[in-house]
Amino acid sequence: GSGVVVPDDTRAEAARLYRVLREDIMLHGLEHDAAICAQHTLGLLGIPISPHVVARGIDDVMRGTLPGSLPVAGAIDTVRALHSAGIPLAVVSSAAHHPFLEWSLAKFGILDAFEFIGSSATIGYYKSNCRIYERVLERLGSAPDEVVHVGDSHRYDVEPARKVGMQTVWLDHGSNMGDHAADLRVTTLEGLAPLLLDRSPWCGA
């Protein structure tokens, strides 16, 4: 369809403003979804675009990135093994556009393995805020010490999940952090399911 040509300097300023907004959200932990953030950024630039058009644009952009998305090595096998063992699974993600999360899981063939898919966009909290983890626990109907959280960010996965009482597995992509708070530190998800199933009292073992 028809569009508006946006000067390069305006694009650069929009990217800067959006980045500042996202950094603020990461600090205070109160999330807004991608469409709201984009609308706010456009408003600061004095660009009048209807929320409907912005939301549709976000959808189009995110759908365009879907073909290039790839799962973390070992993630699919781990999810399938735990699901086959009858372990209730949930997603906790700082995804500002919730549909992309479900599209990706469906693409990888594991959407139905999860009892709950929680994104910061739908729950209203970024993973820097422990409340996102509390909301997922409520949806699962589980006590914190009955749950293990697996994530690749020490700051946004390990630390807040431990604060609410969860066990934690940290997928360390090669940091130089010597001391860490995770209950288990791994460098790959390959072969993780047996470790979780054998590690009492995790996963009902």
Side-chain angles (χ1 to χ4, degrees):
S2 62
V4 177
V5 177
V6 179
D8 289 343
D9 58 346
T10 303
R11 288 173 180 265
E13 179 63 3
R16 186 191 71 80
L17 290 171
Y18 189 87
R19 183 168 57 252
V20 169
L21 175 59
R22 295 304 304 169
E23 289 172 353
D24 285 345
I25 286 172
M26 292 166 69
L27 285 174
H28 58 61
L30 301 178
E31 181 65 288
H32 298 291
D33 70 26
I36 292 175
C37 290
Q39 191 76 50
H40 176 77
T41 300
L42 291 167
L44 292 176
L45 293 169
I47 300 175
I49 300 180
S50 75
H52 173 73
V53 172
V54 172
R56 187 178 63 192
I58 295 290
D59 255 5
D60 289 346
V61 169
M62 297 305 294
R63 283 189 184 279
T65 67
L66 187 61
S69 65
L70 296 171
V72 174
I76 291 176
D77 288 343
T78 297
V79 168
R80 287 177 175 167
L82 295 175
H83 180 61
S84 295
I87 306 302
L89 302 175
V91 172
V92 188
S93 172
S94 285
H97 191 60
H98 183 86
F100 184 81
L101 190 55
E102 297 195 0
W103 298 338
S104 297
L105 295 173
K107 172 186 172 180
F108 303 146
I110 54 175
L111 179 62
D112 292 342
F114 296 96
E115 296 197 5
F116 177 63
I117 299 170
S119 67
S120 57
T122 56
I123 295 177
Y125 298 104
Y126 195 83
K127 287 204 290 185
S128 52
N129 192 317
C130 293
R131 291 185 181 180
I132 190 171
Y133 293 94
E134 293 170 350
R135 294 292 185 272
V136 174
L137 288 171
E138 291 170 4
R139 289 297 300 268
L140 287 175
S142 300
D145 60 2
E146 298 174 331
V147 177
V148 56
H149 176 65
V150 181
D152 64 357
S153 170
H154 197 275
R155 180 179 180 183
Y156 297 121
D157 288 304
V158 174
E159 294 176 14
R162 281 184 61 82
K163 284 180 181 178
V164 300
M166 294 180 180
Q167 299 281 352
T168 56
V169 174
W170 178 31
L171 175 59
D172 184 356
H173 291 299
S175 74
N176 294 318
M177 184 182 295
D179 296 330
H180 63 89
D183 296 286
L184 179 64
R185 181 181 190 172
V186 297
T187 58
T188 179
L189 297 184
E190 295 176 344
L192 179 60
L195 294 177
L196 293 179
L197 292 169
D198 290 344
R199 199 175 180 96
S200 177
W202 293 0
C203 303

